Amino acid sequence: MERTLAIIKPDGVARHLAGEVLALIEKSGFTLVGMKMIRLSRVQAGRFYEIHKEKPFYGELLNFMTEGPVVVAVLEKENAVEAWRALMGLTNPQQAAEGTIRRLYAENVSRNVVHGSDSPENARREIDFFFSASELIAAEK
Ligand code: IDP
Ligand code: MG
């Protein structure tokens, strides 16, 4: 079993898509092992997206991610990292496959409804960033 971090971004929460996204997650066989709603501070968002700090969209990304509350969740499944990226779809919704969350709901490459870790190593880092061990359900095996 593997774990990954999912975020329903401020656009998804504001557009009342949180329930729909969670339903798609559960229907796809993921088990929720931790979840909370928070409002990111600019410092937190900046640290979370530190790998993008030289990118031209970094400032816009921090504005977006701090504009309203987000739902952060830890998903468990075999190959969870890859499986959640597949369900999300590509960053740019115009390039995302039919049936993916971003194809269904994202407005554009920036406001794209969901986040997912891109590797098992980053998943561990991102889960630790938001959750303490006592906030996560113990692994089944
Ligand atoms: P990912 O979320 O699919 O992993 P990344 O390249 O890691 O995509 O980018 C992180 C986030 O930054 C994206 O989900 C999106 O919100 C934003 N972003 C990425 N590329 C652009 C862009 O070209 N313009 C504006 N925002 C972008
Ligand atoms: Mg990424």
Side-chain angles (χ1 to χ4, degrees):
M1 280 297 170
E2 189 173 78
R3 291 179 171 192
T4 191
L5 184 85
I7 305 178
I8 305 172
K9 295 181 177 183
D11 58 335
V13 174
R15 291 165 62 207
H16 296 182
L17 292 169
E20 178 63 18
V21 170
L22 290 170
L24 287 168
I25 286 170
E26 291 194 306
K27 281 182 213 162
S28 302
F30 294 92
T31 299
L32 289 162
V33 297
M35 184 161 68
K36 56 189 164 187
M37 180 179 259
I38 53 174
R39 175 107 187 229
L40 293 176
S41 70
R42 201 169 176 89
V43 168
Q44 249 181 328
R47 278 173 43 221
F48 184 76
Y49 279 117
E50 201 156 19
I51 44 163
H52 292 306
K53 67 171 181 288
E54 308 302 332
K55 303 268 174 66
F57 58 81
Y58 185 65
E60 178 192 345
L61 178 59
L62 300 198
N63 290 342
F64 167 46
M65 290 301 292
T66 58
E67 75 180 28
V70 298
V71 173
V72 289
V74 178
L75 315 182
E76 191 171 79
K77 191 184 199 285
E78 265 178 49
N79 298 313
V81 170
E82 208 180 302
W84 172 229
R85 296 285 307 189
L87 178 58
M88 288 198 308
L90 294 179
T91 312
N92 184 340
Q94 294 184 324
Q95 293 164 359
E98 287 288 337
T100 61
I101 292 168
R102 283 167 165 174
R103 177 64 172 264
L104 285 166
Y105 299 120
E107 290 171 82
N108 54 51
V109 71
S110 168
R111 304 178 71 81
N112 57 9
V113 184
V114 281
H115 166 85
S117 311
D118 62 5
S119 69
E121 298 68 40
N122 282 335
R124 277 189 286 275
R125 179 185 82 82
E126 293 180 358
I127 291 167
D128 288 349
F129 187 90
F130 287 114
F131 293 91
S132 62
S134 66
E135 292 176 308
L136 297 173
I137 304 307
E140 276 180 29
K141 42 184 147 169

